[in-house]
Amino acid sequence: MSWLIDPFSAAFVLRALVGGVLVAAICAVVGTWVVIRGMAFLGEALGHGMLPGVAVATVVGLPPMAGAAVSATAMAGAIGILQRRGRLSFDTSIGLLFVSMLSLGVIVVSHSRTFATDATAMLFGDILAVEAADLVVLAVALAVTLVAAAAFHRSFVAAAFDRRIAATLGLRPGLSHVVLVGLVTLAVVSAYQAVGTLLVVGLLLAPAVAARPWAPRIPATMALAALLGALAVAAGLVLSWHAGTAAGASIAGAAVLLAALSGILRAAIHALRARRPDASGDELMTKAPEPRGDTVAKALPLSADASRA
């Protein structure tokens, strides 16, 4: 078992593990809502939308995380403006800004002649370079995520179920959407150093996808996704240590592998139950998750009239 422990005897790998676990927790909370609400394209677009901010910050000597935050926040705000004033759909607004920001980032990178190493870290992350100050920032980001997710939980649930019901109950679905986009932005920026702009969606989505079939309620899905994300971080770091692979890519690959294994295991259980229809001993553990509408309806105490709407 020493091959599992040895990598974490190095201080920089241990810091990477702590930072990765914090990022996994942030992505688990936000990624669960991204999967439920079908906002994967937004997460991917914001991941690429960070590129110009990171590039400019690197060129002028500022912290890349600051550039990522400014760029992603500007893109999220621009999406809202285009959607409201330009009468464009949500995905159309994202698509236009996605291409614009990615093009701008590539222009900045191609214009600079000192980007060879920085571009690799920018695209694929450099979690092994996490410092103690970065851990503090990630801890604060996790605290903000947990507080916001708890405060707007009922609004998120109601908006996912029916925006009209949410508005009827005074839960302000428009505000909850803005907050959720802000949380996605925070998660993407937080995960930037761990897995870079290209792989950030893997850590945002894969643990939530892997956890969703096994947890009947949203908070349980978040907790299980955080555990699976932490497992992916640890497995990716061990693989990187022994095989000499890129740490960020290894972590993202491990997360996607867990999602695939979860799907395979789920399919195997369904196949086994189909062959033995009378076997009910494990029915509670293998019960399929309820449809989103039913799950949301149970999570939110709606009035009798609203629940029939």
Side-chain angles (χ1 to χ4, degrees):
M1 295 297 291
S2 61
W3 63 277
L4 282 175
I5 302 174
D6 287 346
F8 304 108
S9 61
F12 69 95
V13 179
L14 187 59
R15 286 195 301 270
L17 176 64
V18 175
V21 169
L22 291 173
V23 170
I26 296 170
C27 289
V29 174
V30 180
T32 299
W33 285 116
V34 169
V35 172
I36 291 174
R37 296 285 297 272
M39 299 172 67
F41 186 36
L42 174 63
E44 181 178 3
L46 287 174
H48 294 303
M50 293 187 299
L51 187 60
V54 173
V56 172
T58 303
V59 169
V60 301
L62 295 175
M65 187 74 76
V70 171
S71 186
T73 301
M75 182 174 178
I79 290 172
I81 293 173
L82 283 178
Q83 188 182 7
R84 289 194 302 270
R85 299 185 179 180
R87 301 183 183 276
L88 297 176
S89 64
F90 189 58
D91 59 340
T92 301
S93 303
I94 294 173
L96 289 174
L97 286 168
F98 166 59
V99 175
S100 301
M101 297 293 278
L102 184 59
S103 300
L104 180 59
V106 172
I107 290 172
V108 174
V109 171
S110 62
H111 184 69
S112 174
R113 299 182 180 275
T114 61
F115 245 110
T117 303
D118 293 329
T120 301
M122 181 169 55
L123 295 175
F124 303 107
D126 191 9
I127 193 172
L128 297 178
V130 169
E131 300 290 345
D134 299 322
L135 298 181
V136 175
V137 173
L138 290 174
V140 172
L142 176 58
V144 171
T145 299
L146 292 174
V147 170
F152 285 87
H153 180 75
R154 293 182 73 248
S155 298
F156 290 162
V157 171
F161 181 47
D162 193 316
R163 289 178 63 91
R164 293 171 300 175
I165 292 178
T168 301
L169 296 175
L171 295 177
R172 305 178 70 181
L175 177 61
S176 69
H177 180 74
V178 172
V179 172
L180 184 55
V181 171
L183 288 178
V184 174
T185 303
L186 179 61
V188 168
V189 172
S190 300
Y192 155 72
Q193 186 164 353
V195 292
T197 60
L198 292 183
L199 302 176
V200 64
V201 180
L203 199 57
L204 185 66
L205 297 181
V209 170
R212 198 177 181 198
W214 311 103
R217 295 189 176 276
I218 293 172
T221 302
M222 293 176 177
L224 181 56
L227 291 175
L228 293 174
L231 177 61
V233 170
L237 290 174
V238 171
L239 176 62
S240 175
W241 178 272
H242 291 290
T245 57
S250 300
I251 291 171
V256 174
L257 179 60
L258 286 175
L261 292 176
S262 174
I264 293 171
L265 180 59
R266 191 66 182 174
I269 291 176
H270 279 301
L272 182 61
R273 292 182 63 196
R275 292 180 182 178
R276 298 190 305 168
D278 296 332
S280 58
D282 296 332
E283 183 177 356
L284 181 61
M285 295 299 295
T286 61
K287 182 179 179 183
E290 298 172 348
R292 183 169 64 186
D294 293 341
T295 302
V296 171
K298 286 185 176 182
L300 182 71
L302 302 176
S303 65
D305 293 336
S307 63
R308 289 194 295 267

